[in-house]
Amino acid sequence: MGTPDFAACSLQKLIDEGFDVAGVFCQPDKPRGRGHKLQPCEVKQTALTAGIPVYQPEKLRDGTALAVLRELAPEVIVVVAYGRILPDDILALPKYGCINVHGSLLPKYRGSAPIQRAVINGEKITGVTTMYLAKEMDAGDMIFTAETEIGPSETSGELFDRLAPMGAELLVKTLRAIEDGSAPRVSQDHAQATYAPPLSKDEAPVDWSAEPAPILHHIYGMQPWPCATAELGGVSFKLYGAETTSHTTGKAPGTVIAADKRGIEVACGGGRTVLITEVQAAGGKRMTAGAYLLGHPMEVG
């Protein structure tokens, strides 16, 4: 059970490792692109390529999905970024339980945006956890974890691409351990739990009163969606790249200090500045800030 490419990586790994995948559940097709045509998700595409039956129920609580699952009679259900909460009757169905691959080191960052929130919050270490699903979201007993460092300018999208195969490898390790009876079962310390709610466009604007490091974490953590935004020199931008500087200023946060081939230098909290190096102006293309300024000079101040 899964929907996006993060989940498709785990599904492909199960196929490659020779597991008998009886069926795949994913979200209903959604309109994408300029034509708003219905497009299958990455998990569905992977399943169809492998000849695995695909099910896309609108609801999980009306008995339809349960009837299908009883017919499939799975020994274990694997859930990876499905986007749905499984009801109790489905959780209780498989002999070996329902297993989840989660993109954080639990109990930190339970919820739907663990990877983005880790980057936004400036975490140095993150990883993936496999666990048994429980009634409460991401609160089940843990099985295995795998850690990785977050790069200083690594975006959420780049981290997704690294964690997806890590999660797939950990899933195989988990299922092999369940199969031979050696899988551990470790209770989470619920007092240490933190939550990672989904991102919204309302969070996109940069808070220039913040120190440089949180601003950079915000810019890299908000990629690929919804992207950090700012109005600079009267122009609305999406921000894709930034650096700290050694400069100090007495200007108010948000003031453009310099605009040249290096980029757009902006005053921020603590009397410091941040250099914006990659931008996309409204209606324009993504480019270096220096390239943008060649055709669009910006007034300082």
Side-chain angles (χ1 to χ4, degrees), residues 23-78:
V24 164
F25 278 59
C26 59
Q27 296 269 26
D29 296 351
K30 293 182 179 177
R32 297 186 195 180
R34 291 186 176 180
H36 293 289
K37 291 183 178 178
L38 289 177
Q39 298 287 336
C41 66
E42 291 82 357
V43 163
K44 181 177 179 178
Q45 292 173 9
T46 302
L48 292 177
T49 300
I52 300 169
V54 175
Y55 307 91
Q56 297 174 276
E58 292 282 350
K59 299 177 181 178
L60 292 180
R61 298 181 183 276
D62 62 2
T64 307
L66 182 62
V68 171
L69 286 165
R70 281 178 173 154
E71 189 76 23
L72 293 173
E75 290 177 298
V76 64
I77 292 176
V78 171

Side-chain angles (χ1 to χ4, degrees), residues 154-178:
E154 188 168 22
T155 68
S156 291
E158 290 165 342
L159 187 54
F160 260 98
D161 291 343
R162 289 202 301 113
L163 289 180
M166 280 180 61
E169 291 283 352
L170 202 65
L171 173 60
V172 170
K173 177 183 176 181
T174 298
L175 290 175
R176 296 290 187 215
I178 290 171

Side-chain angles (χ1 to χ4, degrees), residues 6 10 78-81 99-103 128-131 163 166-168 170-171:
F6 187 85
S10 284
V78 171
V79 182
V80 188
I99 308 305
N100 179 236
V101 179
H102 186 73
V128 287
T129 304
T130 52
M131 65 171 174
L163 289 180
M166 280 180 61
L170 202 65
L171 173 60

